[in-house]
Amino acid sequence: EFKTVINEKIELKQSKENYSAELFLLTEKKDNTDDFIENLNVLKQDLKGKNIDLNKFVKISEQQISNFGQLIESKQINKNKRTGHLMLYEGEMKGQKLKFFQYFFIKNEKAYILTYTAKTEDFDLYFNTMKSAMDSFDLNRKSLKHYQKGAN
C-alpha cells in the first residue's frame, strides 16, 4: 500500500473504488456540468517470467496507444535515482477526448505505471499539481507526495 503526504490545500481525494490501482486519486467536480473527474493512479503489473524490460514495456505500450490514440511524446527519464519512461498521448474513450501523462518504472519484474488522466481541454488545469505528485514518486519507499501548484 502506498503512503501519501497530501498538502491540505489540494482538493484530491483517495478513492477505494478502483481496486486494480495501488493508489487512485480524484479531483473535485468543478461544477454540476463537469462530466469527467481528473485522476492520478498508480498501477502495478506483475511481469514475472515474461522477460519484459523497460524498453520492451515501452514498445508494447506505444503499440497499444496507437490502437486508440496519438502519441505526443515518449522519452526516457530519471526520477529519484531510477530510470523510467515518460509518455504523453491523447485518445478517445467512451466518447470523451482524453489526454494521458504517464511514467513507467520497472523493479523486481514489476511495472509501476503512474497515470494522470484528464479531458483534453482540462488537462492543463491540474497538470502542474499532478506532475509534482508524480515527480515525488519514490519506488523504494512506495510513497507519493501531492503538492499544490506553486507549493514547495
Side-chain angles (χ1 to χ4, degrees):
E1 184 165 322
F2 281 81
K3 297 176 214 141
T4 59
V5 178
I6 300 175
N7 180 315
E8 62 226 29
K9 294 178 184 175
I10 295 265
E11 293 183 19
L12 290 178
K13 57 185 176 184
Q14 190 165 350
S15 172
K16 303 286 186 191
E17 292 177 26
N18 188 330
Y19 296 106
S20 63
E22 296 285 312
L23 179 66
F24 195 71
L25 299 169
L26 306 169
T27 61
E28 295 286 335
K29 280 190 165 203
K30 291 185 302 233
D31 56 40
N32 289 337
T33 64
D34 192 356
D35 62 350
F36 185 85
I37 304 297
E38 293 74 19
N39 63 80
L40 171 63
N41 65 69
V42 179
L43 297 173
K44 181 170 65 173
Q45 185 175 348
D46 189 1
L47 303 175
K48 194 168 189 148
K50 296 180 181 177
N51 197 28
I52 297 176
D53 63 6
L54 183 61
N55 291 330
K56 194 169 186 179
F57 191 84
V58 167
K59 284 182 181 158
I60 292 166
S61 298
E62 287 175 344
Q63 289 170 344
Q64 290 171 340
I65 291 165
S66 71
N67 290 332
F68 82 95
Q70 180 176 345
L71 187 63
I72 299 166
E73 184 177 10
S74 181
K75 68 179 184 180
Q76 186 174 327
I77 58 169
N78 288 297
K79 298 286 178 194
N80 296 317
K81 301 177 186 172
R82 183 163 304 279
T83 299
H85 202 87
L86 174 157
M87 280 195 191
L88 177 65
Y89 58 97
E90 292 179 339
E92 194 168 314
M93 296 179 84
K94 298 181 182 177
Q96 300 259 20
K97 290 184 180 180
L98 302 177
K99 195 167 189 177
F100 305 86
F101 181 77
Q102 290 186 314
Y103 288 163
F104 303 140
F105 300 97
I106 306 279
K107 180 181 177 184
N108 299 332
E109 295 188 273
K110 288 182 177 67
Y112 293 85
I113 304 113
L114 290 76
T115 306
Y116 162 48
T117 306
K119 284 176 75 171
T120 303
E121 66 264 21
D122 293 333
F123 184 83
D124 291 340
L125 292 174
Y126 301 97
F127 179 71
N128 290 334
T129 297
M130 298 299 196
K131 185 176 182 307
S132 291
M134 291 169 69
D135 286 346
S136 77
F137 180 68
D138 187 336
L139 192 51
N140 295 322
R141 292 187 180 151
K142 287 192 177 175
S143 68
L144 185 68
K145 294 180 183 177
H146 311 285
Y147 296 103
Q148 184 175 28
K149 182 179 174 181
N152 291 330

